[in-house]
Amino acid sequence: MHDTTMTIREMCDAYDVTPRTLRFYEAKELLFPIREGQKRLFTKRDRARLKLILRGKRFGFSLEEIRQLLDLYDMGDQQATQLQRTYEIAQARLQDMVEQRDELNEAIDDLKEQLKWGEKVIVSMTKTEKAAE
Amino acid sequence: MHDTTMTIREMCDAYDVTPRTLRFYEAKELLFPIREGQKRLFTKRDRARLKLILRGKRFGFSLEEIRQLLDLYDMGDQQATQLQRTYEIAQARLQDMVEQRDELNEAIDDLKEQLKWGEKVIVSMTKTEKAAE
DNA sequence: ATAATGCTTGACGTTAACGTAATCATAACG
DNA sequence: CGTTATGATTACGTTAACGTCAAGCATTAT
């Protein structure tokens, strides 16, 4: 076989993404598949990065944020300052997520209130409806 | 003054929206300001609707959903079935919001785990760094 | 009368993350 | 050698909710 590289299709099957997505990620400089003639060959490194990309997406990071994180990651496994930076970005993202959730919780509570009110109205209306019969 | 109507600017100031937004809402048939010559005049009804629109947005309804709700609202204050329908739409939205929040909570927990791990790595790296000095 | 406002209607621009063709190249298979 | 499979490139389309001009009336202040 091909040493340890994968074709675009194999990647798609393995990670459940479309070719377009992989090409898109390459265009955005998130992945750097090597070329055999015309075709892309994804290395072990690409696969590791893709996993991190997909994980990052689940966390709600934007692709741009993910790119920055991956870059830091690469630049210096030796530089603790970089890792520190990574940590900070993640912290900030966490902050955002918590805020979002809290807002959502508020909205949920508000909407629940509205619904309680709506129930009362519906009940009273169906009552008067019956009364009108 | 103008009986009970407001100009576009007054509306903007009162509700903290841009003229573009009000025109946009009119184009989307969420508002129906009357015309005095060329100019828009927003009635009490428009203001009531705008309040509902803004509230709906806080709840995360799309403008299209809001339009439908407003329409139902108008159509029959007398028809309890319509109100019932409104109630159902809101319930569905609530469902979505709860799901979203739960997903967000999961992601938050996962990310927190990651961060704990990151902390450990950073600590150990700074240690070895010192050791290397 | 003229300049400065305020308002109007288009109509194109923006953002994210791809989807969706259309066209072309290459390689294996029979 | 023709066909099928796989992949490449290019480029426009999608969605939501407006933002951002541009150009033109109309009223009001000077």
Side-chain angles (χ1 to χ4, degrees):
Chain A
M1 300 277 158
H2 32 51
D3 194 21
T4 179
T5 67
M6 288 170 67
T7 77
I8 201 169
R9 183 112 303 279
E10 288 169 336
M11 289 290 283
C12 292
D13 293 345
Y15 297 97
D16 192 34
V17 294
T18 71
R20 179 69 179 96
T21 298
L22 293 176
R23 298 193 191 106
F24 184 73
Y25 289 168
E26 185 188 1
K28 290 287 179 180
E29 303 192 294
L30 291 160
L31 298 178
F32 308 96
I34 56 181
R35 297 306 179 95
E36 194 187 55
Q38 198 61 225
K39 301 183 178 176
R40 290 169 175 79
L41 288 182
F42 295 84
T43 67
K44 198 178 38 165
R45 176 155 173 270
D46 289 315
R47 291 196 292 279
R49 292 174 72 94
L50 180 55
K51 280 184 208 166
L52 290 174
I53 293 169
L54 297 177
R55 174 181 300 179
K57 292 200 58 175
R58 287 208 316 278
F59 289 161
F61 288 96
S62 73
L63 288 185
E64 174 55 20
E65 286 172 325
I66 292 171
R67 194 184 58 72
Q68 291 180 33
L69 291 176
L70 285 176
D71 286 356
L72 291 177
Y73 225 76
D74 277 3
M75 279 177 48
D77 268 334
Q78 69 282 40
Q79 305 293 34
T81 57
Q82 306 290 4
L83 217 162
Q84 182 65 35
R85 190 75 191 99
T86 301
Y87 184 78
E88 285 163 18
I89 294 180
Q91 279 284 3
R93 176 67 197 138
L94 178 59
Q95 183 78 10
D96 286 355
M97 286 168 67
V98 170
E99 277 170 28
Q100 255 188 255
R101 185 201 51 187
D102 291 346
E103 280 176 34
L104 208 50
N105 272 331
E106 269 191 63
I108 287 173
D109 290 344
D110 286 0
L111 188 48
K112 277 184 181 169
E113 283 300 315
Q114 294 279 318
L115 286 177
K116 270 202 280 188
W117 201 79
E119 276 171 17
K120 287 204 307 192
V121 175
I122 289 175
V123 170
S124 69
M125 286 186 69
T126 49
K127 265 187 200 161
T128 57
E129 211 172 340
K130 272 192 177 176
E133 286 178 352
Chain B
M1 296 281 156
H2 31 52
D3 195 21
T4 179
T5 66
M6 289 170 66
T7 76
I8 201 170
R9 183 112 303 279
E10 290 169 335
M11 290 290 283
C12 292
D13 294 344
Y15 298 97
D16 192 34
V17 293
T18 71
R20 179 68 178 99
T21 298
L22 294 176
R23 297 191 194 106
F24 184 73
Y25 289 167
E26 185 187 2
K28 291 286 178 180
E29 302 193 292
L30 291 160
L31 298 178
F32 308 96
I34 57 182
R35 297 307 179 95
E36 192 187 56
Q38 198 62 223
K39 304 183 178 176
R40 289 168 175 79
L41 288 181
F42 295 84
T43 68
K44 199 178 36 164
R45 177 157 172 270
D46 289 315
R47 292 196 293 278
R49 292 174 72 92
L50 181 55
K51 280 184 209 167
L52 290 175
I53 292 169
L54 297 178
R55 175 181 300 180
K57 292 200 57 174
R58 286 208 316 278
F59 289 161
F61 288 96
S62 74
L63 288 184
E64 174 56 20
E65 285 173 326
I66 292 171
R67 193 184 60 71
Q68 291 180 33
L69 291 176
L70 286 175
D71 287 355
L72 290 177
Y73 225 75
D74 277 3
M75 279 175 49
D77 269 334
Q78 71 281 39
Q79 304 293 36
T81 56
Q82 306 292 3
L83 218 161
Q84 183 66 35
R85 189 78 191 97
T86 300
Y87 183 78
E88 285 163 17
I89 294 179
Q91 279 284 4
R93 177 67 197 139
L94 177 59
Q95 183 79 11
D96 285 355
M97 286 168 66
V98 169
E99 276 170 28
Q100 256 188 253
R101 186 201 49 188
D102 291 348
E103 280 176 34
L104 207 51
N105 272 330
E106 269 190 64
I108 287 173
D109 291 344
D110 286 0
L111 187 48
K112 277 184 180 169
E113 283 300 314
Q114 293 279 317
L115 286 177
K116 270 201 279 187
W117 200 80
E119 276 171 16
K120 286 204 307 192
V121 175
I122 287 174
V123 169
S124 69
M125 286 187 69
T126 49
K127 266 187 201 162
T128 57
E129 210 172 342
K130 274 192 177 176
E133 286 178 352

